[in-house]
Amino acid sequence: MPRPKIALVGSGAIGATLAHISGIKELGDVVLFDIVEGMPQGKALDLSQLSPVEGFDTKYTGTQDYSAMKDADVVIVTAGVPRKPGMSRDDLLAINAKIIREVATNIKTFCPNAFVICITNPLDAMVQLLQSASGLPTNKVCGMAGVLDASRFRYFIAEKLNVSVEDVSALVMGGHGDTMVPLVRYTTVAGIPLPDLVSMGWLTQEDIDKLVERTRFGGGEIVQLLKTGSAFYAPAASAIAMAESYLRDKKRLLPCAAYLTGQYGVNGFYCGVPCIIGKDGVEKVVELKLTAEEDKMFRQSVESVRQLVEATPNARL
Ligand code: A3D
């Protein structure tokens, strides 16, 4: 039986880390695509030379030719440019939208049956554009943000309470940005919700507010430290969790940017919601009963996504 094929469009910081983790987890053979001559080839060769040390048999290919991703089972898109000094958010939107349209056309041509995960920012608009420009079914195109945001929240809680990260489970909804909604009620330590931990005296409401705030600005904190780029280890690991759930039909319940058709009262937009990911892609959007306060925060987040999408030409279906 042939190994699954994973195409990575964009072989920069996140793309290379995706390739590395895919190998270590033996998810399939990996195609690294990038417009920079030689760079994906060099990374593919380096990763191939790592494989004997780690003991996995992934075949890596580096390329500038989109046809190399023919019949890929999974495509993870990180192609794009980061914001440079003097560049507005709208400038970035226009440049990355052009790149995403080109990527979408090639996905449609070479691997229309793939499960596609978008990471390129601004995420909520780019995933919408990737779907509409590729014409792939909405259940086969989703965006990675919630797994990362939840993972940040989980780490901050574990660090604060001095417990294992393994026992902390968290849920973050909404758009990927300052308006994201970490759901405190649904965040637990070994099944104990955070509000109960407040009653038990493990942490205060003020502590929770600080952890939520740090999660909301988690990406910016790393950008400030790195100065020349943004986070890449955790974003890559988060997208791999989604790809693995699809390839191995694990049916994990993960927060992803998914296309909503009336769930949570939202129609025709991608937004971060809990989803089941299995062999059919996004198999189900899980609808939670939100409190009035959570619902208000979620609506604000949806509104900011809507504005972003409307600012992106032809992003909507
Ligand atoms: P970077 O290391 O710059 O890699 C991007 C790669 O895209 C570069 O190697 C470019 O050469 C390549 N590229 C540019 N144009 C094209 C094109 N037309 N076709 C193919 N490749 C192209 O960035 P990165 O890997 O650190 O980040 C990638 C994207 O992810 C950026 O848009 C980030 O903002 C975004 N990001 C999103 C999250 C989320 O949680 C959603 C987190 C972190 C980063």
mmCIF file of all heavy atoms in Angstrom, residues 144-158 165-177 180-184 186-188 194 211-212 214-216 218-219 234-235 238 241 252-256 272-274:
data_model
loop_
_atom_site.group_PDB
_atom_site.id
_atom_site.type_symbol
_atom_site.label_atom_id
_atom_site.label_comp_id
_atom_site.label_asym_id
_atom_site.label_seq_id
_atom_site.Cartn_x
_atom_site.Cartn_y
_atom_site.Cartn_z
ATOM 1 N N MET A 144 -5.910 26.162 10.627
ATOM 2 C CA MET A 144 -5.310 25.868 11.924
ATOM 3 C C MET A 144 -5.136 27.161 12.715
ATOM 4 O O MET A 144 -4.483 28.082 12.256
ATOM 5 C CB MET A 144 -3.942 25.204 11.729
ATOM 6 C CG MET A 144 -3.269 24.719 13.002
ATOM 7 S SD MET A 144 -2.782 25.954 14.223
ATOM 8 C CE MET A 144 -1.535 26.861 13.353
ATOM 9 N N ALA A 145 -5.727 27.204 13.885
ATOM 10 C CA ALA A 145 -5.495 28.307 14.819
ATOM 11 C C ALA A 145 -5.885 27.857 16.227
ATOM 12 O O ALA A 145 -5.122 27.995 17.176
ATOM 13 C CB ALA A 145 -6.288 29.553 14.423
ATOM 14 N N GLY A 146 -7.080 27.244 16.329
ATOM 15 C CA GLY A 146 -7.619 26.882 17.646
ATOM 16 C C GLY A 146 -6.752 25.889 18.405
ATOM 17 O O GLY A 146 -6.610 25.995 19.633
ATOM 18 N N VAL A 147 -6.162 24.914 17.691
ATOM 19 C CA VAL A 147 -5.333 23.925 18.399
ATOM 20 C C VAL A 147 -4.139 24.641 19.031
ATOM 21 O O VAL A 147 -3.768 24.391 20.185
ATOM 22 C CB VAL A 147 -4.846 22.810 17.443
ATOM 23 C CG1 VAL A 147 -3.941 21.829 18.177
ATOM 24 C CG2 VAL A 147 -6.027 22.070 16.832
ATOM 25 N N LEU A 148 -3.574 25.581 18.266
ATOM 26 C CA LEU A 148 -2.427 26.350 18.773
ATOM 27 C C LEU A 148 -2.844 27.249 19.944
ATOM 28 O O LEU A 148 -2.181 27.267 20.996
ATOM 29 C CB LEU A 148 -1.857 27.204 17.635
ATOM 30 C CG LEU A 148 -0.807 28.233 18.022
ATOM 31 C CD1 LEU A 148 0.456 27.558 18.536
ATOM 32 C CD2 LEU A 148 -0.463 29.125 16.818
ATOM 33 N N ASP A 149 -3.927 27.988 19.761
ATOM 34 C CA ASP A 149 -4.361 28.900 20.820
ATOM 35 C C ASP A 149 -4.698 28.108 22.095
ATOM 36 O O ASP A 149 -4.335 28.515 23.206
ATOM 37 C CB ASP A 149 -5.578 29.717 20.349
ATOM 38 C CG ASP A 149 -5.228 30.609 19.157
ATOM 39 O OD1 ASP A 149 -4.068 31.043 19.070
ATOM 40 O OD2 ASP A 149 -6.105 30.880 18.315
ATOM 41 N N ALA A 150 -5.365 26.952 21.928
ATOM 42 C CA ALA A 150 -5.718 26.126 23.089
ATOM 43 C C ALA A 150 -4.450 25.559 23.735
ATOM 44 O O ALA A 150 -4.367 25.457 24.970
ATOM 45 C CB ALA A 150 -6.654 24.998 22.663
ATOM 46 N N SER A 151 -3.481 25.211 22.902
ATOM 47 C CA SER A 151 -2.245 24.642 23.435
ATOM 48 C C SER A 151 -1.483 25.685 24.264
ATOM 49 O O SER A 151 -0.906 25.378 25.315
ATOM 50 C CB SER A 151 -1.387 24.126 22.285
ATOM 51 O OG SER A 151 -0.269 23.456 22.791
ATOM 52 N N ARG A 152 -1.524 26.922 23.783
ATOM 53 C CA ARG A 152 -0.886 28.007 24.552
ATOM 54 C C ARG A 152 -1.586 28.155 25.897
ATOM 55 O O ARG A 152 -0.932 28.253 26.943
ATOM 56 C CB ARG A 152 -0.964 29.317 23.759
ATOM 57 C CG ARG A 152 0.005 29.336 22.602
ATOM 58 C CD ARG A 152 -0.056 30.624 21.805
ATOM 59 N NE ARG A 152 1.034 30.632 20.834
ATOM 60 C CZ ARG A 152 0.985 31.206 19.635
ATOM 61 N NH1 ARG A 152 -0.101 31.830 19.241
ATOM 62 N NH2 ARG A 152 2.027 31.168 18.840
ATOM 63 N N PHE A 153 -2.916 28.166 25.859
ATOM 64 C CA PHE A 153 -3.696 28.309 27.089
ATOM 65 C C PHE A 153 -3.377 27.143 28.036
ATOM 66 O O PHE A 153 -3.152 27.328 29.239
ATOM 67 C CB PHE A 153 -5.191 28.334 26.711
ATOM 68 C CG PHE A 153 -6.115 28.833 27.786
ATOM 69 C CD1 PHE A 153 -5.711 29.770 28.730
ATOM 70 C CD2 PHE A 153 -7.437 28.377 27.853
ATOM 71 C CE1 PHE A 153 -6.589 30.236 29.713
ATOM 72 C CE2 PHE A 153 -8.315 28.839 28.820
ATOM 73 C CZ PHE A 153 -7.894 29.761 29.752
ATOM 74 N N ARG A 154 -3.317 25.928 27.482
ATOM 75 C CA ARG A 154 -3.024 24.736 28.294
ATOM 76 C C ARG A 154 -1.660 24.864 28.962
ATOM 77 O O ARG A 154 -1.490 24.551 30.144
ATOM 78 C CB ARG A 154 -3.017 23.485 27.402
ATOM 79 C CG ARG A 154 -4.380 23.103 26.894
ATOM 80 C CD ARG A 154 -4.280 22.021 25.823
ATOM 81 N NE ARG A 154 -3.763 20.768 26.356
ATOM 82 C CZ ARG A 154 -3.421 19.725 25.591
ATOM 83 N NH1 ARG A 154 -3.545 19.790 24.278
ATOM 84 N NH2 ARG A 154 -2.961 18.623 26.141
ATOM 85 N N TYR A 155 -0.689 25.322 28.177
ATOM 86 C CA TYR A 155 0.667 25.440 28.734
ATOM 87 C C TYR A 155 0.700 26.463 29.872
ATOM 88 O O TYR A 155 1.287 26.217 30.933
ATOM 89 C CB TYR A 155 1.676 25.817 27.643
ATOM 90 C CG TYR A 155 2.993 26.189 28.272
ATOM 91 C CD1 TYR A 155 3.777 25.209 28.889
ATOM 92 C CD2 TYR A 155 3.407 27.513 28.352
ATOM 93 C CE1 TYR A 155 4.947 25.547 29.537
ATOM 94 C CE2 TYR A 155 4.579 27.859 28.997
ATOM 95 C CZ TYR A 155 5.340 26.865 29.591
ATOM 96 O OH TYR A 155 6.488 27.196 30.263
ATOM 97 N N PHE A 156 0.052 27.610 29.647
ATOM 98 C CA PHE A 156 0.089 28.671 30.675
ATOM 99 C C PHE A 156 -0.582 28.186 31.971
ATOM 100 O O PHE A 156 -0.118 28.483 33.071
ATOM 101 C CB PHE A 156 -0.604 29.946 30.169
ATOM 102 C CG PHE A 156 0.097 30.602 28.997
ATOM 103 C CD1 PHE A 156 -0.630 31.268 28.018
ATOM 104 C CD2 PHE A 156 1.488 30.564 28.877
ATOM 105 C CE1 PHE A 156 0.006 31.873 26.939
ATOM 106 C CE2 PHE A 156 2.136 31.177 27.795
ATOM 107 C CZ PHE A 156 1.385 31.822 26.828
ATOM 108 N N ILE A 157 -1.671 27.426 31.821
ATOM 109 C CA ILE A 157 -2.374 26.905 33.013
ATOM 110 C C ILE A 157 -1.490 25.891 33.744
ATOM 111 O O ILE A 157 -1.336 25.937 34.967
ATOM 112 C CB ILE A 157 -3.719 26.247 32.597
ATOM 113 C CG1 ILE A 157 -4.685 27.315 32.082
ATOM 114 C CG2 ILE A 157 -4.347 25.492 33.766
ATOM 115 C CD1 ILE A 157 -5.863 26.751 31.297
ATOM 116 N N ALA A 158 -0.897 24.976 32.958
ATOM 117 C CA ALA A 158 -0.041 23.938 33.570
ATOM 118 C C ALA A 158 1.125 24.575 34.314
ATOM 119 O O ALA A 158 1.479 24.168 35.432
ATOM 120 C CB ALA A 158 0.475 22.991 32.488
ATOM 121 N N VAL A 165 1.214 19.246 31.645
ATOM 122 C CA VAL A 165 0.451 19.761 30.499
ATOM 123 C C VAL A 165 -0.511 18.691 29.962
ATOM 124 O O VAL A 165 -1.551 19.014 29.410
ATOM 125 C CB VAL A 165 1.372 20.213 29.327
ATOM 126 C CG1 VAL A 165 2.121 21.474 29.668
ATOM 127 C CG2 VAL A 165 2.332 19.108 28.904
ATOM 128 N N GLU A 166 -0.134 17.418 30.179
ATOM 129 C CA GLU A 166 -0.969 16.324 29.676
ATOM 130 C C GLU A 166 -2.365 16.346 30.272
ATOM 131 O O GLU A 166 -3.315 15.856 29.680
ATOM 132 C CB GLU A 166 -0.343 14.980 30.076
ATOM 133 C CG GLU A 166 0.616 14.419 29.081
ATOM 134 C CD GLU A 166 1.025 13.010 29.482
ATOM 135 O OE1 GLU A 166 0.248 12.079 29.257
ATOM 136 O OE2 GLU A 166 2.119 12.861 30.059
ATOM 137 N N ASP A 167 -2.472 16.849 31.499
ATOM 138 C CA ASP A 167 -3.762 16.801 32.190
ATOM 139 C C ASP A 167 -4.606 18.043 31.971
ATOM 140 O O ASP A 167 -5.715 18.140 32.488
ATOM 141 C CB ASP A 167 -3.541 16.566 33.697
ATOM 142 C CG ASP A 167 -2.970 15.186 33.950
ATOM 143 O OD1 ASP A 167 -3.354 14.260 33.220
ATOM 144 O OD2 ASP A 167 -2.116 15.037 34.852
ATOM 145 N N VAL A 168 -4.073 18.999 31.237
ATOM 146 C CA VAL A 168 -4.838 20.224 31.006
ATOM 147 C C VAL A 168 -5.468 20.164 29.621
ATOM 148 O O VAL A 168 -4.799 19.912 28.625
ATOM 149 C CB VAL A 168 -3.950 21.486 31.116
ATOM 150 C CG1 VAL A 168 -4.806 22.745 30.950
ATOM 151 C CG2 VAL A 168 -3.218 21.516 32.456
ATOM 152 N N SER A 169 -6.785 20.370 29.596
ATOM 153 C CA SER A 169 -7.508 20.362 28.335
ATOM 154 C C SER A 169 -8.200 21.718 28.206
ATOM 155 O O SER A 169 -8.712 22.246 29.200
ATOM 156 C CB SER A 169 -8.497 19.197 28.403
ATOM 157 O OG SER A 169 -9.466 19.313 27.447
ATOM 158 N N ALA A 170 -8.176 22.310 26.996
ATOM 159 C CA ALA A 170 -8.738 23.664 26.869
ATOM 160 C C ALA A 170 -9.447 23.815 25.543
ATOM 161 O O ALA A 170 -9.194 23.072 24.592
ATOM 162 C CB ALA A 170 -7.628 24.709 26.981
ATOM 163 N N LEU A 171 -10.335 24.785 25.508
ATOM 164 C CA LEU A 171 -11.076 25.056 24.283
ATOM 165 C C LEU A 171 -11.038 26.550 24.001
ATOM 166 O O LEU A 171 -11.282 27.353 24.908
ATOM 167 C CB LEU A 171 -12.522 24.588 24.489
ATOM 168 C CG LEU A 171 -13.386 24.411 23.260
ATOM 169 C CD1 LEU A 171 -12.711 23.561 22.198
ATOM 170 C CD2 LEU A 171 -14.700 23.745 23.661
ATOM 171 N N VAL A 172 -10.679 26.880 22.746
ATOM 172 C CA VAL A 172 -10.657 28.294 22.341
ATOM 173 C C VAL A 172 -11.469 28.409 21.052
ATOM 174 O O VAL A 172 -11.284 27.626 20.128
ATOM 175 C CB VAL A 172 -9.203 28.777 22.095
ATOM 176 C CG1 VAL A 172 -9.200 30.205 21.584
ATOM 177 C CG2 VAL A 172 -8.384 28.669 23.369
ATOM 178 N N MET A 173 -12.384 29.347 21.028
ATOM 179 C CA MET A 173 -13.225 29.527 19.839
ATOM 180 C C MET A 173 -13.010 30.903 19.215
ATOM 181 O O MET A 173 -12.311 31.735 19.760
ATOM 182 C CB MET A 173 -14.712 29.406 20.224
ATOM 183 C CG MET A 173 -15.139 27.984 20.480
ATOM 184 S SD MET A 173 -16.874 27.856 20.957
ATOM 185 C CE MET A 173 -17.717 28.634 19.599
ATOM 186 N N GLY A 174 -13.662 31.130 18.080
ATOM 187 C CA GLY A 174 -13.643 32.453 17.454
ATOM 188 C C GLY A 174 -12.528 32.599 16.441
ATOM 189 O O GLY A 174 -11.860 31.635 16.068
ATOM 190 N N GLY A 175 -12.319 33.822 15.990
ATOM 191 C CA GLY A 175 -11.294 34.103 14.999
ATOM 192 C C GLY A 175 -9.910 34.015 15.614
ATOM 193 O O GLY A 175 -9.762 33.982 16.838
ATOM 194 N N HIS A 176 -8.896 33.946 14.739
ATOM 195 C CA HIS A 176 -7.514 33.885 15.223
ATOM 196 C C HIS A 176 -7.003 35.313 15.357
ATOM 197 O O HIS A 176 -6.634 35.936 14.391
ATOM 198 C CB HIS A 176 -6.655 33.100 14.240
ATOM 199 C CG HIS A 176 -5.240 32.965 14.680
ATOM 200 N ND1 HIS A 176 -4.890 32.359 15.858
ATOM 201 C CD2 HIS A 176 -4.088 33.352 14.111
ATOM 202 C CE1 HIS A 176 -3.578 32.391 15.982
ATOM 203 N NE2 HIS A 176 -3.057 32.993 14.933
ATOM 204 N N GLY A 177 -7.020 35.835 16.542
ATOM 205 C CA GLY A 177 -6.584 37.209 16.756
ATOM 206 C C GLY A 177 -6.969 37.615 18.172
ATOM 207 O O GLY A 177 -7.345 36.769 18.989
ATOM 208 N N MET A 180 -10.144 36.280 19.968
ATOM 209 C CA MET A 180 -10.414 34.855 20.209
ATOM 210 C C MET A 180 -11.066 34.677 21.587
ATOM 211 O O MET A 180 -10.905 35.512 22.481
ATOM 212 C CB MET A 180 -9.130 34.037 20.110
ATOM 213 C CG MET A 180 -8.200 34.207 21.281
ATOM 214 S SD MET A 180 -6.730 33.182 21.203
ATOM 215 C CE MET A 180 -5.686 34.025 20.058
ATOM 216 N N VAL A 181 -11.792 33.562 21.732
ATOM 217 C CA VAL A 181 -12.556 33.361 22.970
ATOM 218 C C VAL A 181 -12.102 32.084 23.690
ATOM 219 O O VAL A 181 -12.592 30.991 23.406
ATOM 220 C CB VAL A 181 -14.074 33.242 22.638
ATOM 221 C CG1 VAL A 181 -14.896 33.214 23.918
ATOM 222 C CG2 VAL A 181 -14.515 34.369 21.708
ATOM 223 N N PRO A 182 -11.145 32.202 24.623
ATOM 224 C CA PRO A 182 -10.797 31.018 25.419
ATOM 225 C C PRO A 182 -11.963 30.684 26.360
ATOM 226 O O PRO A 182 -12.416 31.552 27.105
ATOM 227 C CB PRO A 182 -9.557 31.470 26.210
ATOM 228 C CG PRO A 182 -9.042 32.676 25.474
ATOM 229 C CD PRO A 182 -10.274 33.337 24.921
ATOM 230 N N LEU A 183 -12.485 29.457 26.249
ATOM 231 C CA LEU A 183 -13.676 29.100 27.031
ATOM 232 C C LEU A 183 -13.262 28.504 28.374
ATOM 233 O O LEU A 183 -12.935 27.318 28.476
ATOM 234 C CB LEU A 183 -14.537 28.127 26.245
ATOM 235 C CG LEU A 183 -15.296 28.726 25.073
ATOM 236 C CD1 LEU A 183 -16.072 27.667 24.321
ATOM 237 C CD2 LEU A 183 -16.237 29.831 25.524
ATOM 238 N N VAL A 184 -13.303 29.346 29.384
ATOM 239 C CA VAL A 184 -12.818 28.973 30.715
ATOM 240 C C VAL A 184 -13.643 27.827 31.302
ATOM 241 O O VAL A 184 -13.113 26.897 31.912
ATOM 242 C CB VAL A 184 -12.857 30.225 31.626
ATOM 243 C CG1 VAL A 184 -12.615 29.863 33.072
ATOM 244 C CG2 VAL A 184 -11.839 31.248 31.129
ATOM 245 N N TYR A 186 -15.022 25.410 29.849
ATOM 246 C CA TYR A 186 -14.725 24.123 29.229
ATOM 247 C C TYR A 186 -13.240 23.778 29.303
ATOM 248 O O TYR A 186 -12.766 22.915 28.582
ATOM 249 C CB TYR A 186 -15.184 24.136 27.772
ATOM 250 C CG TYR A 186 -16.679 24.134 27.622
ATOM 251 C CD1 TYR A 186 -17.365 25.228 27.129
ATOM 252 C CD2 TYR A 186 -17.416 23.009 27.999
ATOM 253 C CE1 TYR A 186 -18.741 25.221 26.995
ATOM 254 C CE2 TYR A 186 -18.795 22.992 27.875
ATOM 255 C CZ TYR A 186 -19.460 24.097 27.366
ATOM 256 O OH TYR A 186 -20.814 24.074 27.237
ATOM 257 N N THR A 187 -12.527 24.492 30.142
ATOM 258 C CA THR A 187 -11.099 24.225 30.303
ATOM 259 C C THR A 187 -10.888 23.534 31.637
ATOM 260 O O THR A 187 -11.374 24.008 32.671
ATOM 261 C CB THR A 187 -10.327 25.556 30.197
ATOM 262 O OG1 THR A 187 -10.540 26.073 28.880
ATOM 263 C CG2 THR A 187 -8.845 25.375 30.437
ATOM 264 N N THR A 188 -10.217 22.389 31.601
ATOM 265 C CA THR A 188 -10.154 21.558 32.815
ATOM 266 C C THR A 188 -8.729 21.088 33.116
ATOM 267 O O THR A 188 -7.880 21.024 32.221
ATOM 268 C CB THR A 188 -11.013 20.286 32.646
ATOM 269 O OG1 THR A 188 -10.391 19.435 31.687
ATOM 270 C CG2 THR A 188 -12.433 20.598 32.217
ATOM 271 N N LEU A 194 -11.942 24.974 35.322
ATOM 272 C CA LEU A 194 -11.212 26.080 35.965
ATOM 273 C C LEU A 194 -12.041 26.780 37.047
ATOM 274 O O LEU A 194 -11.509 27.089 38.123
ATOM 275 C CB LEU A 194 -10.752 27.115 34.937
ATOM 276 C CG LEU A 194 -9.560 26.779 34.048
ATOM 277 C CD1 LEU A 194 -8.987 28.041 33.419
ATOM 278 C CD2 LEU A 194 -8.471 26.031 34.782
ATOM 279 N N LEU A 211 -4.206 34.697 32.422
ATOM 280 C CA LEU A 211 -3.839 33.591 31.523
ATOM 281 C C LEU A 211 -4.581 33.723 30.188
ATOM 282 O O LEU A 211 -4.024 33.450 29.119
ATOM 283 C CB LEU A 211 -4.165 32.238 32.173
ATOM 284 C CG LEU A 211 -3.421 31.930 33.482
ATOM 285 C CD1 LEU A 211 -3.931 30.631 34.107
ATOM 286 C CD2 LEU A 211 -1.917 31.824 33.242
ATOM 287 N N VAL A 212 -5.850 34.154 30.264
ATOM 288 C CA VAL A 212 -6.644 34.361 29.046
ATOM 289 C C VAL A 212 -6.000 35.460 28.198
ATOM 290 O O VAL A 212 -5.817 35.313 26.988
ATOM 291 C CB VAL A 212 -8.106 34.729 29.412
ATOM 292 C CG1 VAL A 212 -8.838 35.320 28.213
ATOM 293 C CG2 VAL A 212 -8.846 33.509 29.937
ATOM 294 N N ARG A 214 -2.892 36.503 28.229
ATOM 295 C CA ARG A 214 -1.601 36.070 27.681
ATOM 296 C C ARG A 214 -1.818 35.146 26.471
ATOM 297 O O ARG A 214 -1.061 35.198 25.496
ATOM 298 C CB ARG A 214 -0.783 35.345 28.769
ATOM 299 C CG ARG A 214 0.650 35.164 28.353
ATOM 300 C CD ARG A 214 1.554 34.686 29.462
ATOM 301 N NE ARG A 214 2.885 34.434 28.942
ATOM 302 C CZ ARG A 214 3.769 33.649 29.522
ATOM 303 N NH1 ARG A 214 3.490 33.054 30.679
ATOM 304 N NH2 ARG A 214 4.945 33.454 28.969
ATOM 305 N N THR A 215 -2.886 34.329 26.537
ATOM 306 C CA THR A 215 -3.209 33.442 25.410
ATOM 307 C C THR A 215 -3.599 34.272 24.187
ATOM 308 O O THR A 215 -3.125 34.013 23.077
ATOM 309 C CB THR A 215 -4.374 32.503 25.799
ATOM 310 O OG1 THR A 215 -3.980 31.765 26.958
ATOM 311 C CG2 THR A 215 -4.730 31.555 24.673
ATOM 312 N N ARG A 216 -4.455 35.273 24.424
ATOM 313 C CA ARG A 216 -4.917 36.119 23.298
ATOM 314 C C ARG A 216 -3.743 36.765 22.568
ATOM 315 O O ARG A 216 -3.774 36.930 21.363
ATOM 316 C CB ARG A 216 -5.834 37.226 23.815
ATOM 317 C CG ARG A 216 -7.212 36.749 24.162
ATOM 318 C CD ARG A 216 -8.248 37.860 23.996
ATOM 319 N NE ARG A 216 -9.568 37.329 24.218
ATOM 320 C CZ ARG A 216 -10.306 37.558 25.313
ATOM 321 N NH1 ARG A 216 -9.856 38.341 26.258
ATOM 322 N NH2 ARG A 216 -11.492 37.013 25.429
ATOM 323 N N GLY A 218 -0.613 35.583 22.662
ATOM 324 C CA GLY A 218 0.475 34.589 22.694
ATOM 325 C C GLY A 218 1.381 34.669 21.482
ATOM 326 O O GLY A 218 2.601 34.504 21.591
ATOM 327 N N GLY A 219 0.791 34.916 20.308
ATOM 328 C CA GLY A 219 1.591 34.996 19.082
ATOM 329 C C GLY A 219 2.482 36.223 19.111
ATOM 330 O O GLY A 219 3.676 36.158 18.789
ATOM 331 N N ALA A 234 5.167 25.343 17.630
ATOM 332 C CA ALA A 234 3.809 25.006 18.090
ATOM 333 C C ALA A 234 2.773 25.088 16.959
ATOM 334 O O ALA A 234 1.898 24.226 16.873
ATOM 335 C CB ALA A 234 3.414 25.885 19.281
ATOM 336 N N PRO A 235 2.871 26.100 16.054
ATOM 337 C CA PRO A 235 1.917 26.098 14.940
ATOM 338 C C PRO A 235 2.036 24.827 14.079
ATOM 339 O O PRO A 235 1.033 24.240 13.674
ATOM 340 C CB PRO A 235 2.311 27.343 14.126
ATOM 341 C CG PRO A 235 2.940 28.256 15.130
ATOM 342 C CD PRO A 235 3.657 27.348 16.095
ATOM 343 N N SER A 238 0.585 21.812 15.823
ATOM 344 C CA SER A 238 -0.885 21.899 15.881
ATOM 345 C C SER A 238 -1.505 21.444 14.564
ATOM 346 O O SER A 238 -2.498 20.706 14.549
ATOM 347 C CB SER A 238 -1.303 23.346 16.176
ATOM 348 O OG SER A 238 -0.723 23.771 17.383
ATOM 349 N N ALA A 241 -1.360 17.701 14.251
ATOM 350 C CA ALA A 241 -2.414 17.000 15.018
ATOM 351 C C ALA A 241 -3.677 16.882 14.166
ATOM 352 O O ALA A 241 -4.352 15.842 14.159
ATOM 353 C CB ALA A 241 -2.711 17.755 16.312
ATOM 354 N N ARG A 252 -10.603 13.069 16.228
ATOM 355 C CA ARG A 252 -10.317 13.930 17.377
ATOM 356 C C ARG A 252 -11.249 15.136 17.362
ATOM 357 O O ARG A 252 -11.678 15.595 16.304
ATOM 358 C CB ARG A 252 -8.857 14.402 17.335
ATOM 359 C CG ARG A 252 -7.881 13.266 17.586
ATOM 360 C CD ARG A 252 -6.522 13.803 17.934
ATOM 361 N NE ARG A 252 -6.545 14.561 19.179
ATOM 362 C CZ ARG A 252 -5.545 15.321 19.622
ATOM 363 N NH1 ARG A 252 -4.455 15.434 18.898
ATOM 364 N NH2 ARG A 252 -5.634 15.963 20.754
ATOM 365 N N LEU A 253 -11.537 15.634 18.539
ATOM 366 C CA LEU A 253 -12.357 16.853 18.650
ATOM 367 C C LEU A 253 -11.379 18.005 18.857
ATOM 368 O O LEU A 253 -10.801 18.161 19.934
ATOM 369 C CB LEU A 253 -13.320 16.701 19.834
ATOM 370 C CG LEU A 253 -14.593 17.540 19.790
ATOM 371 C CD1 LEU A 253 -15.554 17.104 20.877
ATOM 372 C CD2 LEU A 253 -14.353 19.015 19.879
ATOM 373 N N LEU A 254 -11.192 18.784 17.803
ATOM 374 C CA LEU A 254 -10.178 19.846 17.833
ATOM 375 C C LEU A 254 -10.804 21.178 17.422
ATOM 376 O O LEU A 254 -11.628 21.209 16.503
ATOM 377 C CB LEU A 254 -9.050 19.506 16.848
ATOM 378 C CG LEU A 254 -8.267 18.219 17.114
ATOM 379 C CD1 LEU A 254 -7.384 17.874 15.918
ATOM 380 C CD2 LEU A 254 -7.419 18.346 18.372
ATOM 381 N N PRO A 255 -10.392 22.282 18.038
ATOM 382 C CA PRO A 255 -10.907 23.566 17.569
ATOM 383 C C PRO A 255 -10.196 23.966 16.270
ATOM 384 O O PRO A 255 -8.965 24.014 16.225
ATOM 385 C CB PRO A 255 -10.568 24.541 18.705
ATOM 386 C CG PRO A 255 -9.481 23.886 19.492
ATOM 387 C CD PRO A 255 -9.483 22.419 19.193
ATOM 388 N N CYS A 256 -10.968 24.196 15.208
ATOM 389 C CA CYS A 256 -10.397 24.543 13.896
ATOM 390 C C CYS A 256 -11.233 25.650 13.279
ATOM 391 O O CYS A 256 -12.395 25.821 13.628
ATOM 392 C CB CYS A 256 -10.497 23.363 12.925
ATOM 393 S SG CYS A 256 -9.886 21.843 13.586
ATOM 394 N N GLY A 272 -13.442 29.836 14.088
ATOM 395 C CA GLY A 272 -12.903 28.819 14.980
ATOM 396 C C GLY A 272 -13.981 28.200 15.858
ATOM 397 O O GLY A 272 -14.610 28.899 16.653
ATOM 398 N N VAL A 273 -14.199 26.896 15.675
ATOM 399 C CA VAL A 273 -15.218 26.162 16.444
ATOM 400 C C VAL A 273 -14.693 24.747 16.709
ATOM 401 O O VAL A 273 -13.823 24.276 15.982
ATOM 402 C CB VAL A 273 -16.549 26.059 15.638
ATOM 403 C CG1 VAL A 273 -17.287 27.391 15.608
ATOM 404 C CG2 VAL A 273 -16.308 25.541 14.231
ATOM 405 N N PRO A 274 -15.247 24.053 17.713
ATOM 406 C CA PRO A 274 -14.800 22.672 17.924
ATOM 407 C C PRO A 274 -15.329 21.769 16.800
ATOM 408 O O PRO A 274 -16.496 21.869 16.436
ATOM 409 C CB PRO A 274 -15.447 22.280 19.268
ATOM 410 C CG PRO A 274 -16.224 23.435 19.759
ATOM 411 C CD PRO A 274 -16.223 24.504 18.721
#
